[in-house]
mmCIF file of all heavy atoms in Angstrom:
data_model
loop_
_atom_site.group_PDB
_atom_site.id
_atom_site.type_symbol
_atom_site.label_atom_id
_atom_site.label_comp_id
_atom_site.label_asym_id
_atom_site.label_seq_id
_atom_site.Cartn_x
_atom_site.Cartn_y
_atom_site.Cartn_z
ATOM 1 N N VAL P 1 -93.164 187.789 191.633
ATOM 2 C CA VAL P 1 -94.256 186.853 191.350
ATOM 3 C C VAL P 1 -93.930 185.923 190.191
ATOM 4 O O VAL P 1 -94.322 184.749 190.197
ATOM 5 C CB VAL P 1 -95.579 187.590 191.059
ATOM 6 C CG1 VAL P 1 -96.146 188.236 192.295
ATOM 7 C CG2 VAL P 1 -95.403 188.603 189.947
ATOM 8 N N LEU P 2 -93.221 186.431 189.205
ATOM 9 C CA LEU P 2 -92.943 185.614 188.022
ATOM 10 C C LEU P 2 -91.966 184.483 188.360
ATOM 11 O O LEU P 2 -92.200 183.326 187.990
ATOM 12 C CB LEU P 2 -92.385 186.481 186.896
ATOM 13 C CG LEU P 2 -92.114 185.773 185.568
ATOM 14 C CD1 LEU P 2 -93.352 185.038 185.072
ATOM 15 C CD2 LEU P 2 -91.623 186.764 184.522
ATOM 16 N N LEU P 3 -90.885 184.799 189.072
ATOM 17 C CA LEU P 3 -89.938 183.744 189.434
ATOM 18 C C LEU P 3 -90.552 182.757 190.423
ATOM 19 O O LEU P 3 -90.235 181.564 190.393
ATOM 20 C CB LEU P 3 -88.659 184.348 190.012
ATOM 21 C CG LEU P 3 -87.776 185.140 189.044
ATOM 22 C CD1 LEU P 3 -86.433 185.459 189.681
ATOM 23 C CD2 LEU P 3 -87.569 184.391 187.725
ATOM 24 N N HIS P 4 -91.449 183.246 191.284
ATOM 25 C CA HIS P 4 -92.132 182.326 192.202
ATOM 26 C C HIS P 4 -93.025 181.356 191.433
ATOM 27 O O HIS P 4 -93.090 180.160 191.752
ATOM 28 C CB HIS P 4 -92.953 183.111 193.222
ATOM 29 C CG HIS P 4 -92.129 183.923 194.162
ATOM 30 N ND1 HIS P 4 -92.682 184.760 195.113
ATOM 31 C CD2 HIS P 4 -90.772 184.043 194.295
ATOM 32 C CE1 HIS P 4 -91.711 185.353 195.790
ATOM 33 N NE2 HIS P 4 -90.545 184.937 195.302
ATOM 34 N N ALA P 5 -93.730 181.854 190.440
ATOM 35 C CA ALA P 5 -94.590 180.985 189.624
ATOM 36 C C ALA P 5 -93.751 179.964 188.859
ATOM 37 O O ALA P 5 -94.121 178.788 188.757
ATOM 38 C CB ALA P 5 -95.419 181.828 188.655
ATOM 39 N N ILE P 6 -92.611 180.408 188.326
ATOM 40 C CA ILE P 6 -91.717 179.488 187.610
ATOM 41 C C ILE P 6 -91.183 178.427 188.565
ATOM 42 O O ILE P 6 -91.126 177.234 188.225
ATOM 43 C CB ILE P 6 -90.566 180.271 186.957
ATOM 44 C CG1 ILE P 6 -91.099 181.163 185.830
ATOM 45 C CG2 ILE P 6 -89.489 179.318 186.428
ATOM 46 C CD1 ILE P 6 -90.077 182.139 185.277
ATOM 47 N N THR P 7 -90.788 178.850 189.758
ATOM 48 C CA THR P 7 -90.249 177.907 190.746
ATOM 49 C C THR P 7 -91.264 176.824 191.078
ATOM 50 O O THR P 7 -90.942 175.636 191.117
ATOM 51 C CB THR P 7 -89.837 178.659 192.021
ATOM 52 O OG1 THR P 7 -88.862 179.655 191.698
ATOM 53 C CG2 THR P 7 -89.254 177.701 193.055
ATOM 54 N N ASP P 8 -92.507 177.224 191.318
ATOM 55 C CA ASP P 8 -93.543 176.226 191.625
ATOM 56 C C ASP P 8 -93.838 175.334 190.427
ATOM 57 O O ASP P 8 -94.141 174.148 190.580
ATOM 58 C CB ASP P 8 -94.822 176.923 192.084
ATOM 59 C CG ASP P 8 -95.069 176.741 193.576
ATOM 60 O OD1 ASP P 8 -94.355 175.928 194.194
ATOM 61 O OD2 ASP P 8 -95.955 177.410 194.118
ATOM 62 N N ALA P 9 -93.751 175.884 189.223
ATOM 63 C CA ALA P 9 -94.033 175.086 188.027
ATOM 64 C C ALA P 9 -92.997 173.976 187.847
ATOM 65 O O ALA P 9 -93.352 172.828 187.578
ATOM 66 C CB ALA P 9 -94.068 175.986 186.792
ATOM 67 N N VAL P 10 -91.700 174.310 187.984
ATOM 68 C CA VAL P 10 -90.673 173.282 187.782
ATOM 69 C C VAL P 10 -90.679 172.272 188.932
ATOM 70 O O VAL P 10 -90.400 171.076 188.724
ATOM 71 C CB VAL P 10 -89.270 173.903 187.590
ATOM 72 C CG1 VAL P 10 -89.236 174.775 186.354
ATOM 73 C CG2 VAL P 10 -88.814 174.689 188.811
ATOM 74 N N LEU P 11 -91.011 172.730 190.139
ATOM 75 C CA LEU P 11 -91.129 171.792 191.263
ATOM 76 C C LEU P 11 -92.300 170.843 191.049
ATOM 77 O O LEU P 11 -92.205 169.638 191.313
ATOM 78 C CB LEU P 11 -91.304 172.557 192.574
ATOM 79 C CG LEU P 11 -90.046 173.166 193.181
ATOM 80 C CD1 LEU P 11 -90.401 174.087 194.350
ATOM 81 C CD2 LEU P 11 -89.081 172.076 193.651
ATOM 82 N N GLY P 12 -93.411 171.383 190.559
ATOM 83 C CA GLY P 12 -94.573 170.534 190.315
ATOM 84 C C GLY P 12 -94.321 169.510 189.233
ATOM 85 O O GLY P 12 -94.697 168.340 189.364
ATOM 86 N N ALA P 13 -93.670 169.914 188.153
ATOM 87 C CA ALA P 13 -93.394 168.982 187.064
ATOM 88 C C ALA P 13 -92.429 167.893 187.490
ATOM 89 O O ALA P 13 -92.574 166.725 187.111
ATOM 90 C CB ALA P 13 -92.845 169.740 185.855
ATOM 91 N N SER P 14 -91.432 168.257 188.286
ATOM 92 C CA SER P 14 -90.425 167.263 188.708
ATOM 93 C C SER P 14 -90.881 166.432 189.894
ATOM 94 O O SER P 14 -90.280 165.398 190.201
ATOM 95 C CB SER P 14 -89.117 167.981 189.058
ATOM 96 O OG SER P 14 -89.311 168.888 190.132
ATOM 97 N N GLY P 15 -91.926 166.879 190.578
ATOM 98 C CA GLY P 15 -92.420 166.144 191.737
ATOM 99 C C GLY P 15 -91.578 166.321 192.977
ATOM 100 O O GLY P 15 -91.651 165.515 193.913
ATOM 101 N N LEU P 16 -90.793 167.394 193.044
ATOM 102 C CA LEU P 16 -89.879 167.588 194.173
ATOM 103 C C LEU P 16 -90.483 168.391 195.319
ATOM 104 O O LEU P 16 -89.810 168.625 196.313
ATOM 105 C CB LEU P 16 -88.594 168.275 193.694
ATOM 106 C CG LEU P 16 -87.639 167.400 192.881
ATOM 107 C CD1 LEU P 16 -86.465 168.218 192.373
ATOM 108 C CD2 LEU P 16 -87.148 166.233 193.710
ATOM 109 N N GLY P 17 -91.709 168.842 195.193
ATOM 110 C CA GLY P 17 -92.313 169.592 196.286
ATOM 111 C C GLY P 17 -92.942 170.879 195.797
ATOM 112 O O GLY P 17 -93.446 170.968 194.686
ATOM 113 N N ASP P 18 -92.907 171.909 196.635
ATOM 114 C CA ASP P 18 -93.410 173.222 196.258
ATOM 115 C C ASP P 18 -92.572 174.286 196.941
ATOM 116 O O ASP P 18 -91.757 173.998 197.818
ATOM 117 C CB ASP P 18 -94.896 173.384 196.599
ATOM 118 C CG ASP P 18 -95.173 173.187 198.085
ATOM 119 O OD1 ASP P 18 -94.670 174.007 198.881
ATOM 120 O OD2 ASP P 18 -95.881 172.237 198.444
ATOM 121 N N ILE P 19 -92.767 175.530 196.535
ATOM 122 C CA ILE P 19 -91.917 176.615 197.018
ATOM 123 C C ILE P 19 -92.048 176.818 198.526
ATOM 124 O O ILE P 19 -91.088 177.215 199.199
ATOM 125 C CB ILE P 19 -92.225 177.917 196.236
ATOM 126 C CG1 ILE P 19 -91.119 178.956 196.452
ATOM 127 C CG2 ILE P 19 -93.595 178.450 196.581
ATOM 128 C CD1 ILE P 19 -91.231 180.153 195.527
ATOM 129 N N GLY P 20 -93.226 176.527 199.062
ATOM 130 C CA GLY P 20 -93.431 176.702 200.497
ATOM 131 C C GLY P 20 -92.648 175.715 201.342
ATOM 132 O O GLY P 20 -92.214 176.037 202.457
ATOM 133 N N THR P 21 -92.456 174.476 200.843
ATOM 134 C CA THR P 21 -91.676 173.498 201.609
ATOM 135 C C THR P 21 -90.187 173.757 201.472
ATOM 136 O O THR P 21 -89.424 173.481 202.402
ATOM 137 C CB THR P 21 -91.990 172.062 201.137
ATOM 138 O OG1 THR P 21 -91.722 171.946 199.738
ATOM 139 C CG2 THR P 21 -93.440 171.712 201.388
ATOM 140 N N TYR P 22 -89.768 174.282 200.326
ATOM 141 C CA TYR P 22 -88.355 174.614 200.145
ATOM 142 C C TYR P 22 -87.951 175.837 200.976
ATOM 143 O O TYR P 22 -86.901 175.855 201.604
ATOM 144 C CB TYR P 22 -88.063 174.892 198.666
ATOM 145 C CG TYR P 22 -87.429 173.737 197.939
ATOM 146 C CD1 TYR P 22 -88.170 172.622 197.593
ATOM 147 C CD2 TYR P 22 -86.088 173.754 197.600
ATOM 148 C CE1 TYR P 22 -87.598 171.556 196.920
ATOM 149 C CE2 TYR P 22 -85.503 172.705 196.924
ATOM 150 C CZ TYR P 22 -86.258 171.605 196.581
ATOM 151 O OH TYR P 22 -85.682 170.551 195.932
ATOM 152 N N PHE P 23 -88.801 176.868 200.955
ATOM 153 C CA PHE P 23 -88.463 178.144 201.579
ATOM 154 C C PHE P 23 -89.635 178.612 202.452
ATOM 155 O O PHE P 23 -90.388 179.505 202.050
ATOM 156 C CB PHE P 23 -88.146 179.195 200.503
ATOM 157 C CG PHE P 23 -87.213 178.689 199.432
ATOM 158 C CD1 PHE P 23 -87.679 178.441 198.146
ATOM 159 C CD2 PHE P 23 -85.878 178.431 199.716
ATOM 160 C CE1 PHE P 23 -86.831 177.973 197.159
ATOM 161 C CE2 PHE P 23 -85.023 177.951 198.735
ATOM 162 C CZ PHE P 23 -85.505 177.723 197.453
ATOM 163 N N PRO P 24 -89.813 178.021 203.636
ATOM 164 C CA PRO P 24 -90.949 178.367 204.490
ATOM 165 C C PRO P 24 -90.969 179.865 204.815
ATOM 166 O O PRO P 24 -89.940 180.435 205.201
ATOM 167 C CB PRO P 24 -90.694 177.535 205.760
ATOM 168 C CG PRO P 24 -89.796 176.428 205.325
ATOM 169 C CD PRO P 24 -88.943 176.995 204.243
ATOM 170 N N PRO P 25 -92.101 180.530 204.649
ATOM 171 C CA PRO P 25 -92.164 181.971 204.898
ATOM 172 C C PRO P 25 -91.870 182.351 206.346
ATOM 173 O O PRO P 25 -91.487 183.487 206.618
ATOM 174 C CB PRO P 25 -93.603 182.338 204.496
ATOM 175 C CG PRO P 25 -94.354 181.051 204.529
ATOM 176 C CD PRO P 25 -93.376 179.984 204.174
ATOM 177 N N GLU P 26 -92.042 181.378 207.275
ATOM 178 C CA GLU P 26 -91.757 181.689 208.672
ATOM 179 C C GLU P 26 -90.260 181.605 209.003
ATOM 180 O O GLU P 26 -89.841 181.982 210.098
ATOM 181 C CB GLU P 26 -92.541 180.748 209.600
ATOM 182 C CG GLU P 26 -92.144 179.277 209.511
ATOM 183 C CD GLU P 26 -92.886 178.529 208.409
ATOM 184 O OE1 GLU P 26 -93.559 179.208 207.590
ATOM 185 O OE2 GLU P 26 -92.797 177.296 208.376
ATOM 186 N N ASP P 27 -89.456 181.120 208.045
ATOM 187 C CA ASP P 27 -88.017 181.005 208.265
ATOM 188 C C ASP P 27 -87.352 182.356 208.005
ATOM 189 O O ASP P 27 -87.398 182.870 206.884
ATOM 190 C CB ASP P 27 -87.440 179.945 207.320
ATOM 191 C CG ASP P 27 -85.993 179.589 207.657
ATOM 192 O OD1 ASP P 27 -85.296 180.442 208.239
ATOM 193 O OD2 ASP P 27 -85.564 178.464 207.333
ATOM 194 N N PRO P 28 -86.696 182.947 209.011
ATOM 195 C CA PRO P 28 -86.134 184.302 208.840
ATOM 196 C C PRO P 28 -85.020 184.382 207.807
ATOM 197 O O PRO P 28 -84.724 185.470 207.317
ATOM 198 C CB PRO P 28 -85.613 184.642 210.246
ATOM 199 C CG PRO P 28 -85.436 183.321 210.937
ATOM 200 C CD PRO P 28 -86.502 182.430 210.368
ATOM 201 N N GLN P 29 -84.378 183.248 207.463
ATOM 202 C CA GLN P 29 -83.274 183.322 206.507
ATOM 203 C C GLN P 29 -83.748 183.709 205.111
ATOM 204 O O GLN P 29 -82.939 184.135 204.269
ATOM 205 C CB GLN P 29 -82.516 182.005 206.442
ATOM 206 C CG GLN P 29 -83.253 180.861 205.782
ATOM 207 C CD GLN P 29 -82.365 179.644 205.590
ATOM 208 O OE1 GLN P 29 -81.275 179.728 205.020
ATOM 209 N NE2 GLN P 29 -82.828 178.498 206.090
ATOM 210 N N TRP P 30 -85.062 183.566 204.843
ATOM 211 C CA TRP P 30 -85.573 183.908 203.519
ATOM 212 C C TRP P 30 -86.189 185.306 203.492
ATOM 213 O O TRP P 30 -86.776 185.692 202.486
ATOM 214 C CB TRP P 30 -86.597 182.869 203.051
ATOM 215 C CG TRP P 30 -86.087 181.465 203.123
ATOM 216 C CD1 TRP P 30 -86.617 180.430 203.832
ATOM 217 C CD2 TRP P 30 -84.923 180.936 202.471
ATOM 218 N NE1 TRP P 30 -85.865 179.297 203.674
ATOM 219 C CE2 TRP P 30 -84.812 179.574 202.839
ATOM 220 C CE3 TRP P 30 -83.964 181.476 201.616
ATOM 221 C CZ2 TRP P 30 -83.798 178.756 202.389
ATOM 222 C CZ3 TRP P 30 -82.937 180.661 201.168
ATOM 223 C CH2 TRP P 30 -82.857 179.328 201.555
ATOM 224 N N LYS P 31 -86.044 186.058 204.580
ATOM 225 C CA LYS P 31 -86.554 187.421 204.626
ATOM 226 C C LYS P 31 -85.839 188.265 203.570
ATOM 227 O O LYS P 31 -84.604 188.342 203.535
ATOM 228 C CB LYS P 31 -86.319 188.012 206.020
ATOM 229 C CG LYS P 31 -86.775 189.459 206.182
ATOM 230 C CD LYS P 31 -88.284 189.582 206.126
ATOM 231 C CE LYS P 31 -88.721 191.019 206.442
ATOM 232 N NZ LYS P 31 -90.186 191.177 206.297
ATOM 233 N N ASN P 32 -86.623 188.877 202.676
ATOM 234 C CA ASN P 32 -86.099 189.713 201.587
ATOM 235 C C ASN P 32 -85.144 188.955 200.663
ATOM 236 O O ASN P 32 -84.273 189.554 200.025
ATOM 237 C CB ASN P 32 -85.404 190.955 202.148
ATOM 238 C CG ASN P 32 -86.373 191.883 202.860
ATOM 239 O OD1 ASN P 32 -87.503 192.070 202.417
ATOM 240 N ND2 ASN P 32 -85.943 192.452 203.973
ATOM 241 N N ALA P 33 -85.308 187.628 200.589
ATOM 242 C CA ALA P 33 -84.416 186.815 199.749
ATOM 243 C C ALA P 33 -84.573 187.173 198.276
ATOM 244 O O ALA P 33 -85.669 187.527 197.813
ATOM 245 C CB ALA P 33 -84.716 185.332 199.947
ATOM 246 N N ASP P 34 -83.471 187.076 197.548
ATOM 247 C CA ASP P 34 -83.470 187.294 196.106
ATOM 248 C C ASP P 34 -84.089 186.068 195.440
ATOM 249 O O ASP P 34 -83.576 184.954 195.574
ATOM 250 C CB ASP P 34 -82.031 187.503 195.634
ATOM 251 C CG ASP P 34 -81.945 187.894 194.166
ATOM 252 O OD1 ASP P 34 -82.882 187.580 193.414
ATOM 253 O OD2 ASP P 34 -80.928 188.485 193.770
ATOM 254 N N SER P 35 -85.188 186.256 194.730
ATOM 255 C CA SER P 35 -85.884 185.120 194.118
ATOM 256 C C SER P 35 -85.054 184.436 193.044
ATOM 257 O O SER P 35 -85.308 183.268 192.719
ATOM 258 C CB SER P 35 -87.234 185.573 193.541
ATOM 259 O OG SER P 35 -88.093 185.992 194.580
ATOM 260 N N LYS P 36 -84.087 185.133 192.478
ATOM 261 C CA LYS P 36 -83.171 184.477 191.524
ATOM 262 C C LYS P 36 -82.397 183.382 192.234
ATOM 263 O O LYS P 36 -82.189 182.289 191.689
ATOM 264 C CB LYS P 36 -82.208 185.507 190.920
ATOM 265 C CG LYS P 36 -82.860 186.586 190.085
ATOM 266 C CD LYS P 36 -81.841 187.364 189.258
ATOM 267 C CE LYS P 36 -80.830 188.124 190.109
ATOM 268 N NZ LYS P 36 -81.482 189.206 190.892
ATOM 269 N N THR P 37 -81.960 183.659 193.462
ATOM 270 C CA THR P 37 -81.240 182.654 194.248
ATOM 271 C C THR P 37 -82.145 181.469 194.582
ATOM 272 O O THR P 37 -81.732 180.312 194.490
ATOM 273 C CB THR P 37 -80.700 183.280 195.540
ATOM 274 O OG1 THR P 37 -79.808 184.345 195.212
ATOM 275 C CG2 THR P 37 -79.957 182.236 196.384
ATOM 276 N N LEU P 38 -83.385 181.753 194.956
ATOM 277 C CA LEU P 38 -84.323 180.678 195.310
ATOM 278 C C LEU P 38 -84.575 179.762 194.111
ATOM 279 O O LEU P 38 -84.558 178.530 194.239
ATOM 280 C CB LEU P 38 -85.638 181.272 195.817
ATOM 281 C CG LEU P 38 -85.554 182.271 196.977
ATOM 282 C CD1 LEU P 38 -86.961 182.662 197.433
ATOM 283 C CD2 LEU P 38 -84.745 181.710 198.132
ATOM 284 N N LEU P 39 -84.811 180.359 192.940
ATOM 285 C CA LEU P 39 -85.059 179.561 191.746
ATOM 286 C C LEU P 39 -83.817 178.741 191.382
ATOM 287 O O LEU P 39 -83.929 177.581 190.980
ATOM 288 C CB LEU P 39 -85.474 180.453 190.579
ATOM 289 C CG LEU P 39 -85.671 179.749 189.222
ATOM 290 C CD1 LEU P 39 -86.675 178.604 189.329
ATOM 291 C CD2 LEU P 39 -86.121 180.753 188.157
ATOM 292 N N ASN P 40 -82.642 179.341 191.542
ATOM 293 C CA ASN P 40 -81.413 178.622 191.218
ATOM 294 C C ASN P 40 -81.231 177.405 192.103
ATOM 295 O O ASN P 40 -80.846 176.324 191.636
ATOM 296 C CB ASN P 40 -80.207 179.559 191.342
ATOM 297 C CG ASN P 40 -78.921 178.879 190.938
ATOM 298 O OD1 ASN P 40 -78.168 178.387 191.773
ATOM 299 N ND2 ASN P 40 -78.652 178.848 189.647
ATOM 300 N N ILE P 41 -81.516 177.541 193.401
ATOM 301 C CA ILE P 41 -81.408 176.402 194.327
ATOM 302 C C ILE P 41 -82.331 175.272 193.887
ATOM 303 O O ILE P 41 -81.938 174.102 193.811
ATOM 304 C CB ILE P 41 -81.749 176.848 195.765
ATOM 305 C CG1 ILE P 41 -80.664 177.794 196.310
ATOM 306 C CG2 ILE P 41 -81.912 175.630 196.687
ATOM 307 C CD1 ILE P 41 -81.033 178.447 197.624
ATOM 308 N N VAL P 42 -83.574 175.626 193.596
ATOM 309 C CA VAL P 42 -84.558 174.626 193.166
ATOM 310 C C VAL P 42 -84.146 173.999 191.839
ATOM 311 O O VAL P 42 -84.182 172.776 191.664
ATOM 312 C CB VAL P 42 -85.954 175.267 193.055
ATOM 313 C CG1 VAL P 42 -86.900 174.376 192.267
ATOM 314 C CG2 VAL P 42 -86.516 175.542 194.437
ATOM 315 N N TRP P 43 -83.727 174.824 190.884
ATOM 316 C CA TRP P 43 -83.418 174.328 189.550
ATOM 317 C C TRP P 43 -82.239 173.354 189.576
ATOM 318 O O TRP P 43 -82.231 172.369 188.830
ATOM 319 C CB TRP P 43 -83.151 175.491 188.608
ATOM 320 C CG TRP P 43 -82.901 175.091 187.184
ATOM 321 C CD1 TRP P 43 -81.807 175.337 186.430
ATOM 322 C CD2 TRP P 43 -83.799 174.347 186.339
ATOM 323 N NE1 TRP P 43 -81.950 174.806 185.169
ATOM 324 C CE2 TRP P 43 -83.166 174.190 185.087
ATOM 325 C CE3 TRP P 43 -85.069 173.807 186.528
ATOM 326 C CZ2 TRP P 43 -83.762 173.516 184.033
ATOM 327 C CZ3 TRP P 43 -85.659 173.131 185.474
ATOM 328 C CH2 TRP P 43 -85.007 172.990 184.242
ATOM 329 N N GLN P 44 -81.256 173.590 190.429
ATOM 330 C CA GLN P 44 -80.136 172.657 190.514
ATOM 331 C C GLN P 44 -80.596 171.301 191.048
ATOM 332 O O GLN P 44 -80.125 170.259 190.601
ATOM 333 C CB GLN P 44 -79.016 173.240 191.395
ATOM 334 C CG GLN P 44 -78.414 174.534 190.876
ATOM 335 C CD GLN P 44 -78.122 174.509 189.388
ATOM 336 O OE1 GLN P 44 -77.589 173.520 188.872
ATOM 337 N NE2 GLN P 44 -78.475 175.582 188.690
ATOM 338 N N ASP P 45 -81.516 171.312 192.018
ATOM 339 C CA ASP P 45 -82.058 170.045 192.515
ATOM 340 C C ASP P 45 -82.872 169.346 191.430
ATOM 341 O O ASP P 45 -82.804 168.121 191.269
ATOM 342 C CB ASP P 45 -82.946 170.289 193.743
ATOM 343 C CG ASP P 45 -82.143 170.479 195.018
ATOM 344 O OD1 ASP P 45 -80.900 170.428 194.950
ATOM 345 O OD2 ASP P 45 -82.761 170.683 196.077
ATOM 346 N N VAL P 46 -83.662 170.121 190.673
ATOM 347 C CA VAL P 46 -84.458 169.540 189.592
ATOM 348 C C VAL P 46 -83.548 168.907 188.546
ATOM 349 O O VAL P 46 -83.757 167.767 188.103
ATOM 350 C CB VAL P 46 -85.364 170.615 188.954
ATOM 351 C CG1 VAL P 46 -86.022 170.085 187.682
ATOM 352 C CG2 VAL P 46 -86.426 171.073 189.948
ATOM 353 N N ARG P 47 -82.496 169.607 188.154
ATOM 354 C CA ARG P 47 -81.557 169.071 187.169
ATOM 355 C C ARG P 47 -80.800 167.866 187.709
ATOM 356 O O ARG P 47 -80.527 166.911 186.977
ATOM 357 C CB ARG P 47 -80.577 170.162 186.740
ATOM 358 C CG ARG P 47 -81.200 171.167 185.807
ATOM 359 C CD ARG P 47 -80.238 172.264 185.415
ATOM 360 N NE ARG P 47 -78.947 171.753 184.968
ATOM 361 C CZ ARG P 47 -78.065 172.480 184.301
ATOM 362 N NH1 ARG P 47 -78.344 173.741 184.012
ATOM 363 N NH2 ARG P 47 -76.917 171.980 183.934
ATOM 364 N N ALA P 48 -80.458 167.919 188.994
ATOM 365 C CA ALA P 48 -79.730 166.802 189.591
ATOM 366 C C ALA P 48 -80.561 165.531 189.594
ATOM 367 O O ALA P 48 -80.014 164.425 189.630
ATOM 368 C CB ALA P 48 -79.295 167.149 191.019
#
């Protein structure tokens, strides 16, 4: 929950979207995904 909240916060501040559009829950590739990986993907886009 904490990394998910952080992910949405940085996406909201940067205007790049939200966690649901980046990693749709219906997409099987994110099943049991490591949230550290998800945040890292988002953070690199935010920094870029």
Side-chain angles (χ1 to χ4, degrees):
V1 290
L2 183 54
L3 292 190
H4 294 176
I6 293 171
T7 302
D8 252 350
V10 298
L11 282 171
S14 61
L16 287 175
D18 59 64
I19 195 170
T21 57
Y22 260 74
F23 313 109
E26 65 274 10
D27 190 334
Q29 71 172 307
W30 307 121
K31 178 69 174 176
N32 295 321
D34 186 336
S35 295
K36 296 194 297 294
T37 300
L38 306 185
L39 176 55
N40 183 263
I41 292 171
V42 165
W43 183 239
Q44 298 315 316
D45 280 0
V46 170
R47 285 178 49 164

